[in-house]
Each structure stands twice: as structure tokens, then as C-alpha cells.
């Protein structure tokens, strides 16, 4: 083999790439989103000696609750979970039964929900009430928070680059959206003890929706 052919056949190592200094950094921003969607769970519960008797009583309460809820056209109501379980005496002897059935409610009209819950509390209990942003409201707040977070990232990167007296470029970014848990009020009220229907106080408030931008910049030589 000639010297020229040998030189051509010998792999030439790649020249090292001269990269600038890289810096990892992150920025965060948040925007408030109105809790304009309410979700509540009400329940009927009873104890007795036979499951059949319980079903009659509990199903009757749920049916009455659904009938009352249908009077509010802007509230979505649907049947929820139903559980029947034995109540044991000492040992393994069953001395009775307990049954619970849920009814879920969802609406953007908190005034109507407040009125409805006041009526339902006369015969049913309230398991929970959640106030949270509707999907469209949350999406808008997420977009705004993301824009703010990117701007904060760029501002922070510029401060670093200017301090070191070098231009920079963004190598990569990772964007995460999040938010605080929705406001949840937990209750287990004995609705039968209520003497009359009284609207339930509801304060919607808002949820802070956050966006975090993490990434890496390269200082150019």
C-alpha cells in the first residue's frame, strides 16, 4: 500500500469543539386563576337490620335529592358511589348494616349551588366541596404564567451574561406547569338535624397557577 493510500485510510481524529461556558438556571412565575367551577358531593346514609330496608330509605333520599337538583338547570347532578357494608358486634357476628350513596354536583353558579346545598342539608350530609378553575380559566392562567416565566428566565440569563461580559444563547428549556390544590372544605353534617333550609356560604377565591422554566445557557466566546 502506498504512503498516500495509507494516510487516506487512517482515520483522522476530530478536532475538539471549543464550547463556551454553560450555566444551568431556572425561573418561576404564577398567575391567579378564579375558582369559577364548584364541585360538591352530598350523601345519604342510614343504618338498619336488613340491606333491603336500607336501600329503600337511602334510595328514596337520593331520588328526592336528584328531584330537587333538577330544579336548577345550571347545576349538573349525577349519581355517585354507593356502599353497603355490615356492622359487626363483638366477634364476627353481624348485628346490622350501613349504607351510603353519593350524589355529585357541578356548576359555575356558586349562588345556585349555595341555595341547593342549603335545601339538601335538611335530609342529606355534605361530604366535600371543591372550588377550582374551570378548564378554560386554568388554561388561560397557565399560558400567562408560562410567558412570564420565560421572560423571567431570559432576564436572568441576560443579567448573568452581562455581568460576565459575554453574549449568550439558550441551549435548551424545560417548561412545567402546576398549581396549588383546589380549595377543599370537608364536612360530614347530619342533614336530618337541620330545622330549615339555609343557603350554604361559599367563598370561591382563586388558585395560583405556576409555571417553571429550567434550562441551560451557553456563554459565547
Amino acid at each position: 500500500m502506498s504512503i498516500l493510500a495509507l494516510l487516506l485510510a487512517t482515520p483522522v481524529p476530530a478536532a475538539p469543539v471549543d464550547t463556551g461556558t454553560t450555566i444551568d438556571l431556572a425561573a418561576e412565575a404564577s398567575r391567579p386563576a378564579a375558582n369559577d367551577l364548584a364541585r360538591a358531593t352530598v350523601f345519604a346514609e342510614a343504618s338498619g337490620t336488613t340491606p333491603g330496608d336500607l336501600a329503600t330509605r337511602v334510595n328514596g333520599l337520593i331520588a328526592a335529592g336528584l328531584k330537587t337538583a333538577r330544579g336548577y338547570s345550571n347545576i349538573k347532578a349525577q349519581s355517585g358511589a354507593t356502599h353497603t357494608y355490615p356492622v359487626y358486634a363483638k366477634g364476627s357476628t353481624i348485628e346490622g348494616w350501613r349504607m351510603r350513596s353519593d350524589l355529585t354536583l357541578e356548576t359555575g353558579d356558586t349562588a345556585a349551588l349555595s341555595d341547593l346545598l342549603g335545601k339538601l342539608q335538611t335530609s342529606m350530609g355534605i361530604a366535600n366541596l371543591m372550588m377550582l378553575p374551570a378548564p378554560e380559566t386554568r388554561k388561560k392562567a397557565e399560558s400567562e404564567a408560562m410567558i412570564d416565566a420565560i421572560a423571567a428566565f431570559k432576564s436572568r440569563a441576560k443579567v448573568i451574561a452581562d455581568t460576565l461580559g459575554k453574549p449568550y444563547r439558550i441551549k435548551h428549556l424545560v417548561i412545567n406547569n402546576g398549581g396549588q390544590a383546589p380549595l377543599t372544605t370537608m364536612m360530614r353534617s347530619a342533614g336530618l338535624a337541620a330545622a330549615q333550609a339555609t343557603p350554604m356560604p361559599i367563598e370561591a377565591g382563586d388558585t395560583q397557577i405556576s409555571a417553571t422554566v429550567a434550562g441551560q445557557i451557553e456563554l459565547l466566546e
Side-chain angles (χ1 to χ4, degrees):
M1 180 180 293
S2 66
I3 296 177
L4 178 59
L6 180 61
L7 289 174
L8 291 175
T10 303
V12 178
V17 178
D18 185 16
T19 59
T21 301
T22 57
I23 299 174
D24 295 322
L25 67 152
E28 183 178 8
S30 63
R31 286 290 187 101
N35 290 327
D36 52 0
L37 181 65
R39 290 175 182 161
T41 301
V42 296
F43 65 93
E45 192 172 45
S47 299
T49 56
T50 64
D53 176 58
L54 291 181
T56 300
R57 291 159 57 189
V58 171
N59 291 343
L61 290 171
I62 291 294
L66 282 170
K67 182 178 179 181
T68 302
R70 291 191 190 104
Y72 297 79
S73 59
N74 53 352
I75 297 179
K76 178 183 177 182
Q78 65 182 48
S79 301
T82 297
H83 303 283
T84 302
Y85 48 93
V87 177
Y88 293 95
K90 291 182 178 180
S92 58
T93 303
I94 297 176
E95 65 175 7
W97 295 83
R98 180 175 292 275
M99 180 177 178
R100 167 174 163 157
S101 188
D102 294 344
L103 181 63
T104 61
L105 308 168
E106 182 176 285
T107 184
D109 188 341
T110 55
L113 182 64
S114 171
D115 189 67
L116 174 58
L117 290 177
K119 294 178 180 179
L120 295 179
Q121 277 185 295
T122 62
S123 59
M124 305 176 74
I126 299 178
N128 62 71
L129 170 64
M130 295 192 303
M131 301 301 305
L132 65 161
E136 299 80 8
T137 305
R138 185 181 185 91
K139 183 177 180 180
K140 181 175 183 293
E142 284 180 347
S143 296
E144 292 172 347
M146 180 180 62
I147 292 172
D148 291 347
I150 292 174
F153 182 93
K154 291 174 66 178
S155 177
R156 188 167 296 180
K158 186 176 185 303
V159 168
I160 294 172
D162 288 350
T163 300
L164 296 174
K166 295 178 181 293
Y168 78 95
R169 71 181 182 92
I170 297 175
K171 294 193 69 174
H172 69 85
L173 290 176
V174 177
I175 301 174
N176 292 309
N177 291 319
Q180 298 176 357
L183 174 65
T184 305
T185 303
M186 297 299 298
M187 305 178 186
R188 287 190 63 85
S189 58
L192 292 173
Q196 60 183 3
T198 303
M200 178 180 170
I202 298 176
E203 181 63 39
D206 55 47
T207 296
Q208 289 295 321
I209 304 298
S210 62
T212 301
V213 175
Q216 188 177 76
I217 63 171
E218 180 183 2
L219 301 180
L220 304 177
E221 299 299 332

